[in-house]
Amino acid sequence: MTETSLGLKRRARRMARELAATHPDAHCELDHTNALELAVATLLSAQTTDVRVNETTPKLFARYRTAADYAAADRAELEDLLKPLGFFRAKTDSLMKLGQALVDLHAGVVPNTMEALVALPGIGRKTANVILGNAFGVPGLTVDTHFQRLVNRFGWTAETDPVKIEMAVAQLIEKRDWTMFSHRIIFHGRRVCHARKPACGACTITRSCPSYGLGPKDPALAAKLLKGPRIAELAKAAGAPVPEGVVAEPAL
């Protein structure tokens, strides 16, 4: 049967509620203490992992505390700090240009509107939504590769353009929930609904997902595909056996 627009919205919101229960620990995985640090970390996260960025940024943030510091950075020194991330020359160039633009256009302060953010060098809608949602409390949908893969699998939209995906999902999920929903769906993509082999048999939203069966349905096999620090909790929530050798976190 063809799903109506109302039926799709109801299914999407039910899945969003189930994801909230599944991933109570969902959060921005880029370490930061202010809007500038978040902007820098998000820019650096392109084509690398959040873990690698978090290993690199402590020394970076200790050395460069303001936009003016990045604008006036010694290129060789900055490149050396960014080498572990790959594409370090391009990223060095981007940070120096971002710092200069913030100094020239916003007195060194990261702006808090989509229009102003996307006008900055290296800042697109995805990065802007990360900054708005996590530094300023302005709801935003972060359409990264995990987000796109999952909403396509969920049958929420067939769009492949990130902006069109963002607009489609915005019609389904309440605006107040956009930022946390983004974290939860990215957590689910990293821990359960993997690109090559999703852990379908150890997933909490299978009854609402039209792509159930892309990965192994057997709960024991699927549970072995789970990733992250809460494997035991994820398996139990889905009614799957906890993989051998995995110990549940102690209750708080």
Side-chain angles (χ1 to χ4, degrees):
M1 294 179 62
T2 301
E3 188 172 38
T4 65
S5 296
L6 179 58
L8 173 59
K9 180 175 287 189
R10 286 175 173 171
R11 180 169 67 86
R13 293 190 177 184
R14 181 171 65 249
M15 295 175 80
R17 291 192 297 271
E18 290 166 344
L19 286 173
T22 301
H23 303 287
D25 57 330
H27 62 279
C28 177
E29 294 190 281
L30 290 169
D31 295 339
H32 65 280
T33 62
N34 56 53
L36 177 61
E37 290 183 355
L38 180 57
V40 169
T42 307
L43 190 153
L44 295 177
S45 69
Q47 298 177 295
T48 190
T49 65
D50 289 355
V51 171
R52 183 64 61 86
V53 173
N54 290 339
E55 291 172 347
T56 303
T57 51
K59 288 183 179 179
L60 183 73
F61 294 160
R63 174 67 181 83
Y64 304 95
R65 298 181 179 276
T66 68
D69 290 338
Y70 287 103
D74 177 85
R75 181 177 293 274
E77 180 184 2
L78 185 51
E79 284 183 354
D80 188 59
L81 284 172
L82 300 183
K83 275 185 180 179
L85 299 177
F87 302 96
F88 62 92
R89 292 188 179 87
K91 291 180 179 181
T92 294
D93 193 56
S94 294
L95 288 190
M96 293 178 71
K97 288 180 177 178
L98 175 62
Q100 191 62 59
L102 288 173
V103 170
D104 292 343
L105 302 175
H106 303 285
V109 178
V110 177
N112 61 358
T113 67
M114 174 64 73
E115 181 181 16
L117 284 168
V118 297
L120 294 169
I123 305 293
R125 283 191 67 88
K126 183 186 80 171
T127 299
N129 275 322
V130 171
I131 297 168
L132 290 172
N134 297 283
F136 297 112
V138 178
L141 292 167
T142 303
V143 184
D144 70 352
T145 55
H146 299 291
F147 193 106
Q148 177 174 336
R149 179 176 74 254
L150 267 63
V151 297
N152 285 164
R153 283 180 176 174
F154 294 168
W156 292 7
T157 178
E159 297 289 354
T160 57
D161 177 76
V163 176
K164 291 182 179 179
I165 291 172
E166 181 185 339
M167 297 303 109
V169 176
Q171 299 301 311
L172 302 175
I173 303 299
E174 291 187 272
K175 185 174 182 179
R176 67 187 182 191
D177 296 328
W178 287 354
T179 300
M180 282 307 303
F181 171 74
S182 296
H183 293 320
R184 291 163 185 154
I185 202 167
I186 290 169
F187 261 53
H188 201 66
R190 288 175 172 170
R191 290 154 172 75
V192 183
C193 195
H194 313 302
R196 294 185 179 180
K197 188 182 288 186
C200 289
C203 178
T204 57
I205 57 175
T206 54
R207 69 188 183 95
S208 301
C209 181
S211 295
Y212 174 63
L214 283 179
K217 295 181 180 180
D218 181 85
L221 292 177
K224 294 180 180 179
L225 299 175
L226 297 172
K227 296 181 180 179
R230 297 182 62 253
I231 291 175
E233 288 78 4
L234 293 174
K236 289 178 180 178
V242 177
E244 186 176 352
V246 172
V247 179
E249 292 182 340
L252 297 177

